[in-house]
Amino acid sequence: MTHGEIEITAELVRNLLHDQHPDLADRPVRLGARGWDNQLWRLGDDLAVRLPWATQSADALLRKEHAWLPALAPHLPLRVPVPQRLGEPSERFPRPWIVTTWVPGEPADRAPATRAAEAADILASFLTALHRPAPTGAPTGRDRGGPLAGHAEGVAQMLASATELGQIPDPDGVRAVWEDAVAVPDWTGPALWLHGDLHPANVLTTDGTFCGVIDFGDLFAGDPAFDLAAAWILLPDGATDRFFAAYRPTPDASTLRRARGWAVWRALACILIGDAGVQGRPGGKATWGPPAHAALRRLVATVRRPGRHEPAADATDARRPA
């Protein structure tokens, strides 16, 4: 991650608004958060300005979110940051930026969901509503959501690195989950809309359950298993089966196994980012480690219980409509 040379300040945000959206320039501006790709500045009580400050890919992600999310947002049961205005590169700031609605709540990496049943139902409702066939021309997932086998080398490297750091108590169990996922057929259904980045920092909570989803820059069309991996990353213990029972259409066994593979991929990445945060290295996020560790513990349990090689798949497959 490389941060830009331009310091983003409240004064810069106000000047950008004055130049391109003057009707918003008189609103109070204050820092909301510094994320992986973007800084978020509150604009009054109900709006926010997002400006890229790190990865170069953030420019295209902001434009994609501005182009596609407004049509999806009205159909989603959780609050999302609906784009309102687009800011173009200028002499003041050489990158695009957007104005969105503000979504209140606390990121789940800092305030995890604790009301298991309600959180499972809400997450299932959100993904059921989002996972609809995408139109022709919808964005693709870059390296996400395609065949799991294409990530085998990366997963092996992340697992080796995390194990060397002492972060993985059962590497053989993690490897077994991954290998089980890679062994199943790829998705052959329609390309569905996916959030594409459902880690705990992008899902908001209040009163122990989910209240909003943010950062749709990775929005793309593909295999629903990619998003379904969030069940192990976001939900508390004992909630995964309820989530898959509530999600529609009920996933088949292969989709569930691919979802577990994607959850391993996500958890390993978050563990390494979390360790970097604990060590104070650039780009690290210490709060990303604990939910990732919990996810791997749950995932390993799905292939380690005697006589229950596929507990979630077996439980839900019986309820799958003919």
Side-chain angles (χ1 to χ4, degrees):
M1 184 166 65
T2 57
H3 296 112
E5 296 180 356
I6 297 179
E7 181 183 4
I8 300 176
T9 64
E11 182 180 7
L12 173 62
V13 174
R14 278 192 291 267
N15 287 336
L16 290 172
L17 290 168
H18 179 78
D19 291 345
Q20 299 191 35
H21 301 285
D23 58 311
L24 301 177
D26 291 336
R27 292 185 171 219
V29 175
R30 65 188 187 277
L31 180 64
R34 290 187 175 94
W36 185 268
D37 292 311
N38 303 291
Q39 287 194 23
L40 186 70
W41 289 77
R42 296 287 304 273
L43 184 59
D45 294 328
D46 58 343
L47 296 176
V49 181
R50 287 173 59 199
L51 305 97
W53 77 314
T55 55
Q56 291 301 313
S57 62
D59 296 20
L61 300 184
L62 286 178
R63 290 190 183 278
K64 177 171 61 172
E65 186 171 339
H66 182 267
W68 292 98
L69 186 55
L72 295 173
H75 307 288
L76 301 177
L78 289 176
R79 296 182 66 175
V80 301
V82 184
Q84 304 293 304
R85 309 284 182 90
L86 179 65
E88 294 293 351
S90 65
E91 291 185 1
R92 291 188 190 275
F93 190 72
R95 305 181 68 176
W97 46 278
I98 61 173
V99 179
T100 73
T101 56
W102 170 255
V103 182
E106 188 73 12
D109 61 322
R110 300 178 183 177
T114 54
R115 292 157 58 187
E118 185 170 351
D121 290 345
I122 289 174
L123 183 61
S125 175
F126 174 80
L127 289 181
T128 294
L130 176 61
H131 289 175
R132 302 297 183 189
T136 301
T140 59
R142 298 181 296 168
D143 61 338
R144 304 182 179 196
L148 280 166
H151 294 269
E153 182 178 351
V155 167
Q157 290 174 350
M158 289 192 293
L159 179 57
S161 296
T163 301
E164 186 176 345
L165 291 168
Q167 296 288 329
I168 309 295
D170 186 1
D172 289 339
V174 174
R175 193 174 296 109
V177 177
W178 173 256
E179 292 176 351
D180 177 71
V182 172
V184 302
D186 296 331
W187 175 250
T188 58
L192 306 182
W193 276 120
L194 307 177
H195 177 276
D197 204 19
L198 285 174
H199 59 71
N202 284 341
V203 180
L204 306 181
T205 66
T206 187
D207 298 326
T209 193
F210 303 125
C211 64
V213 178
I214 60 175
D215 195 351
F216 282 75
D218 281 302
L219 183 74
F220 72 94
D223 177 5
F226 189 83
D227 272 0
L228 295 177
W232 289 279
I233 304 291
L234 295 172
L235 293 172
D237 287 349
T240 307
D241 285 349
R242 181 174 179 127
F243 166 82
F244 284 112
Y247 174 83
R248 291 292 182 269
T250 306
D252 60 21
S254 292
T255 298
L256 287 169
R257 289 163 68 183
R258 289 195 309 277
R260 288 202 291 263
W262 283 118
V264 165
W265 175 83
R266 171 76 71 189
L268 289 173
C270 288
I271 283 172
L272 292 174
I273 293 169
D275 181 77
V278 171
Q279 301 302 322
R281 295 195 295 272
K285 303 284 185 180
T287 54
W288 289 24
H293 282 289
L296 283 190
R297 173 175 51 77
R298 299 182 196 114
L299 287 160
V300 169
T302 67
V303 297
R304 287 293 192 164
R305 287 179 239 165
R308 293 194 66 194
H309 182 71
E310 295 181 84
D314 291 342
T316 57
D317 206 40
R319 291 185 291 270
R320 189 182 182 197

